[in-house]
């Protein structure tokens, strides 16, 4: 807690000793405020005609009016501050959500890129195998799978052809048979 301070101030042409826990500078500012209010009223012609107690009451009412207006303004500023803090909190929440979404998207993109590379590699291997198979056919080398396919096709063609009558074997005379057998 601060030490109690005292200050001599001039208010309405009289010297007063004010004391409190605020600084001497603050006490002088309070006295200056009261003096500015007194000067404001002294400039009005009608105010000078009022009795002293009426002047004091009007001055007190005016100071109270300033106080309530300042208090209302402070409350509005505090409400605005709370709204801004709430908005900042929501924006931070949205930012964190967006960061999480971006990280998730980046991970998905990386996974898809990896899968794409694997598929391209697989495609390249398949193209290479196809090229080897085609080159093998050209050189007269038929891969086993292709050879099986060709045999199946030939078998199907043979089965689908109508059967032709077999020609009778020519009769050879016995002499020729004997010579051939010998």
């Amino acid at each position: 807690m601060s030490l109690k301070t005292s200050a001599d101030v001039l208010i309405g042409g009289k010297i007063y000793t004010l004391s409190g826990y605020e600084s001497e500078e603050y006490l002088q500012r309070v006295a200056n405020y009261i003096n500015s209010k007194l000067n404001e009223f002294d400039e009005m012609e009608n105010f000078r005609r009022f009795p002293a107690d009426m002047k004091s009451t009007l001055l007190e009412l005016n100071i109270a009016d300033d106080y309530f207006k300042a208090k209302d303004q402070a409350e509005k500023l505090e409400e605005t501050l709370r709204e801004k803090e709430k908005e900042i909190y929501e924006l931070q929440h949205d930012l964190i959500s967006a960061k999480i979404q971006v990280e998730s998207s980046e991970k998905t993109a990386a996974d898809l890129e990896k899968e794409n590379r694997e598929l391209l590699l697989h495609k390249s291997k398949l193209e290479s195998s196809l090229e080897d198979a085609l080159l093998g056919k050209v050189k007269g080398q038929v891969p086993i799978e292709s050879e099986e396919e060709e045999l199946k096709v030939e078998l199907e063609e043979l089965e689908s052809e109508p059967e032709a009558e077999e020609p009778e074997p020519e009769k050879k005379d016995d002499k020729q048979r004997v010579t051939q057998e010998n």
Side-chain angles (χ1 to χ4, degrees), residues 10-27:
L10 181 66
I11 299 176
K14 295 183 182 176
I15 296 179
Y16 295 93
T17 301
L18 299 180
S19 55
Y21 293 103
E22 291 82 10
S23 67
E24 185 176 338
E25 180 183 300
Y26 175 80
L27 296 174

Side-chain angles (χ1 to χ4, degrees), residues 18 43 68 72 75 86 88 146 154 160:
L18 299 180
E43 290 176 3
F68 284 110
D72 286 345
E75 288 173 356
K86 181 180 177 185
I88 288 171
S146 298
E154 286 179 28
S160 67

Side-chain angles (χ1 to χ4, degrees), residues 50-72:
F50 293 138
D53 61 338
M54 174 85 95
K55 287 181 183 180
S56 293
T57 302
L58 289 174
L59 180 65
E60 291 165 357
L61 287 171
N62 196 277
I63 291 171
D65 179 55
D66 288 349
Y67 166 78
F68 284 110
K69 286 179 181 174
K71 185 178 178 186
D72 286 345

Side-chain angles (χ1 to χ4, degrees), residues 149-161:
E149 280 292 321
E150 286 179 14
L151 289 174
K152 285 180 185 177
V153 169
E154 286 179 28
L155 182 62
E156 288 173 4
E157 288 176 317
L158 288 174
E159 289 176 347
S160 67
E161 288 183 39

Side-chain angles (χ1 to χ4, degrees), residues 25-43:
E25 180 183 300
Y26 175 80
L27 296 174
Q28 289 295 337
R29 280 184 25 220
V30 170
N32 286 338
Y33 174 75
I34 300 286
N35 282 325
S36 68
K37 284 295 182 183
L38 284 171
N39 290 336
E40 187 180 315
F41 281 111
D42 281 339
E43 290 176 3

Side-chain angles (χ1 to χ4, degrees), residues 4-170:
K4 195 171 188 178
T5 57
S6 297
D8 291 331
V9 295
L10 181 66
I11 299 176
K14 295 183 182 176
I15 296 179
Y16 295 93
T17 301
L18 299 180
S19 55
Y21 293 103
E22 291 82 10
S23 67
E24 185 176 338
E25 180 183 300
Y26 175 80
L27 296 174
Q28 289 295 337
R29 280 184 25 220
V30 170
N32 286 338
Y33 174 75
I34 300 286
N35 282 325
S36 68
K37 284 295 182 183
L38 284 171
N39 290 336
E40 187 180 315
F41 281 111
D42 281 339
E43 290 176 3
M44 295 183 218
E45 201 58 45
N46 293 337
F47 182 75
R48 287 187 228 148
R49 294 187 202 150
F50 293 138
D53 61 338
M54 174 85 95
K55 287 181 183 180
S56 293
T57 302
L58 289 174
L59 180 65
E60 291 165 357
L61 287 171
N62 196 277
I63 291 171
D65 179 55
D66 288 349
Y67 166 78
F68 284 110
K69 286 179 181 174
K71 185 178 178 186
D72 286 345
Q73 185 179 11
E75 288 173 356
K76 287 177 185 175
L77 289 173
E78 287 175 359
E79 179 63 28
T80 301
L81 181 63
R82 281 191 295 273
E83 289 172 3
K84 296 293 181 191
E85 287 174 346
K86 181 180 177 185
E87 188 177 329
I88 288 171
Y89 175 80
E90 290 171 356
L91 288 172
Q92 287 174 335
H93 181 268
D94 291 347
L95 179 64
I96 290 169
S97 296
K99 282 182 179 180
I100 290 169
Q101 188 175 9
V102 165
E103 288 172 359
S104 174
S105 296
E106 286 174 348
K107 184 181 183 303
T108 302
D111 291 345
L112 288 173
E113 193 173 312
K114 180 181 176 186
E115 183 180 347
N116 189 36
R117 280 193 304 269
E118 289 172 358
L119 288 172
L120 287 172
L121 181 63
H122 185 66
K123 176 186 170 196
S124 175
K125 287 178 181 178
L126 288 175
E127 286 174 344
S128 177
S129 295
L130 179 62
E131 187 178 323
D132 289 347
L134 291 174
L135 286 174
K137 248 186 178 181
V138 169
K139 292 180 180 177
Q141 300 171 350
V142 180
I144 293 174
E145 292 105 5
S146 298
E147 192 174 322
E148 285 179 15
E149 280 292 321
E150 286 179 14
L151 289 174
K152 285 180 185 177
V153 169
E154 286 179 28
L155 182 62
E156 288 173 4
E157 288 176 317
L158 288 174
E159 289 176 347
S160 67
E161 288 183 39
E163 290 186 25
E165 291 183 26
E166 290 185 21
E168 287 186 28
E170 292 180 29

